[in-house]
Amino acid sequence: MKHEPSIQLVFLMLPSAVLTALLALELSFGATRHFFLHTLTGWDVALLGLLAATYFGRPQSRWDGLALLALALWAQMPDLLYIQGYYHRDWMDVFLFHIALDEIIALSLPTLAVLWAVLMVAYVRFRLGGASSAGAGSN
Amino acid sequence: MDIGMPLLERRRLALTLIAATATLLALVVFGLIVERRSGTPLIQVGQPAPDWTLPSASGGSEWLAAQRGHSVVLVFVPSVNCAICVQQLRALQSALPELRTRRTAAFAISTDLPAVQRSYSAILGLEFPLLSEAPAAGLHPVGSAYGVYHGAGSPAGPVDISAIIVIDAAGVVRAVSVLPNQAISATQLVDLVAATSSAQ
């Protein structure tokens, strides 16, 4: 069954609702910008991957949202480790360049936000629109 | 390969992918360059101490220039949330009465956010100002000026060492103690300050 694009967008973003628990924690520490920086990094990379999958003929799936959640969590991993007592170090750039993007947060946060908006439009147009025009419904 | 997408749309998707990837890569490369370049040489004894103004865990701000006229001990720790750092902060707290008798002000600087520091300061019962130079605040201008961020020690990080800097009443660096992944005791801390005052 093919859902409306708006419903499919809900499917896309719904798994990331889990991150509100982390947002609440970071809010209490005044780290809202930090939270959005790394969440957007994860979302942007996931959307890029999903759009690349569309390019190579993989249809949209209702599980796409899990990729967004998984990569957002991966990008936030140093903060989860921090809660466990492991402070930020350069090697933590393996988590989607967590340290490097932190260093330029004044530039990286707005850039990633704009990129996310562009990729969401592209997702609707190419992955949802493309799939429906081809009649390639998801499972 | 038939993917059910018109050729023009496929080209537009390819362009979107290329542009978005290039933007992301440019951002990451710039971040990595900034990260690597923020590593500066460690400050040396005899050099004038770079001035700073930093937010304090208590909510206000502290600045070095206001301390002119008496000695200052600056303790850099990577975080308030690591075992060695807590050990170092506790040592500074224990040394505080002796430092006060020597008219020496004490400050600790970490990369945590002020709200995090406030919480730990209360838990550890710290009476000295805990100052924040969080990554989100910029490029660690203070730590970089003193050469304690992204140093050559292992493991590398925004602050990879416990660094203690003693500054005299005239604002000149009189002692630099760097111990990678090691805290110094309250007695050693007081001895460090005492050695600088006797050397003057």
Side-chain angles (χ1 to χ4, degrees), chain B residues 38-44 47-54 63-65 68 72 74 76 109 133 140-149 161 163-167 171-173 175-176 178:
Chain B
S38 59
T40 48
L42 186 66
I43 198 158
Q44 299 297 307
Q47 287 184 334
D51 200 12
W52 45 258
T53 302
L54 285 172
W63 57 98
L64 182 62
R68 207 49 66 82
V72 171
L74 277 186
F76 285 92
I109 300 176
E133 195 173 37
H140 307 303
V142 180
S144 294
Y146 284 82
V148 299
Y149 287 132
I161 46 182
I164 295 158
I165 316 278
V166 182
I167 301 163
V172 176
V173 173
V176 178
V178 173

Side-chain angles (χ1 to χ4, degrees), chain B residues 63-157:
Chain B
W63 57 98
L64 182 62
Q67 306 302 324
R68 207 49 66 82
H70 52 83
S71 303
V72 171
V73 175
L74 277 186
V75 173
F76 285 92
V77 287
S79 165
V80 290
N81 185 24
C82 80
I84 295 168
C85 316
V86 167
Q87 206 181 328
Q88 188 60 79
L89 294 172
R90 283 194 164 134
L92 182 58
Q93 177 61 35
S94 302
L96 214 51
E98 182 62 29
L99 292 176
R100 280 177 182 149
T101 62
R102 292 176 178 276
R103 297 193 68 244
T104 301
F107 298 93
I109 300 176
S110 83
T111 57
D112 308 282
L113 291 159
V116 178
Q117 290 183 329
R118 193 156 40 247
S119 145
Y120 276 85
S121 188
I123 292 167
L124 300 173
L126 305 179
E127 294 166 24
F128 53 84
L130 203 45
L131 309 177
S132 169
E133 195 173 37
L139 303 174
H140 307 303
V142 180
S144 294
Y146 284 82
V148 299
Y149 287 132
H150 296 286
S154 177

Side-chain angles (χ1 to χ4, degrees), chain A residues 29 31 33 48 51-52 55-57 82 85 87-90 93 97 99-100 102-105 107 112 115 125-126 134, chain B residues 3-4 9-10 12 17 24 27-28 31-32 35 78-79 81-82 112-113 115-116 135-136 139-140 150 155-158:
Chain A
F29 288 125
R33 289 199 315 157
L48 263 176
L51 285 169
Y55 183 82
F56 291 107
Y82 179 85
Y87 59 87
H88 286 29
R89 293 175 181 177
D90 284 356
D93 272 333
F97 303 98
I99 307 296
D102 250 357
E103 297 276 19
I104 53 165
I105 191 166
L107 174 71
L112 288 167
L115 196 59
R125 175 173 176 157
F126 298 112
Chain B
I3 59 159
E9 280 293 277
R10 197 168 143 79
R12 282 179 178 153
L17 278 170
L24 207 54
L27 201 60
V28 163
L32 286 171
E35 182 184 300
S79 165
N81 185 24
C82 80
D112 308 282
L113 291 159
V116 178
L139 303 174
H140 307 303
H150 296 286

